Amino acid sequence: MFAGTTKTYQVTGPVLEVKDDMIVVQKGKEKWEIARDKDTKVTGGLQVGSKVTVTYTMKAATIDAKAAAKAGKKK
């Protein structure tokens, strides 16, 4: 992947819940809770029961890196 390139993903299913900051979509037996904000583009009537396709990206919120374990010599 090149710097600046963000891969997008999709989930499609019926809407279970809608709030100003998130949407819950049923995908098979799983419930997907996806965050949204004022910049999220919505077309059509978004309401519980609507079938939607959500396009999203994965973005790291925090990264906690630890030093790699050093291989010790066995005697």
Side-chain angles (χ1 to χ4, degrees), residues 5 8-9 12 14-16 19 21-24 28 38 44 49 51 54 57-58 60-62 65-66 70-71:
T5 302
T8 59
Y9 303 90
T12 299
V15 175
L16 300 180
K19 293 185 179 179
D21 62 348
M22 67 91 161
I23 182 172
V24 179
K38 63 178 178 56
K51 183 177 179 181
V54 178
T57 61
M58 286 193 223
T62 62
K66 307 248 189 270
K70 293 184 180 181

Side-chain angles (χ1 to χ4, degrees), residues 3-60:
T5 302
T6 303
K7 186 171 181 178
T8 59
Y9 303 90
Q10 289 185 339
V11 60
T12 299
V15 175
L16 300 180
E17 186 177 351
V18 177
K19 293 185 179 179
D20 289 340
D21 62 348
M22 67 91 161
I23 182 172
V24 179
V25 177
Q26 182 83 38
K27 181 180 179 184
K29 294 182 180 182
E30 297 179 334
K31 295 177 183 178
W32 288 47
E33 184 175 318
I34 302 169
R36 66 189 198 119
D37 60 22
K38 63 178 178 56
D39 296 323
T40 303
K41 181 181 175 184
V42 177
T43 56
L46 180 58
Q47 60 188 16
V48 172
S50 299
K51 183 177 179 181
V52 297
T53 298
V54 178
T55 302
Y56 63 95
T57 61
M58 286 193 223
K59 177 183 169 189

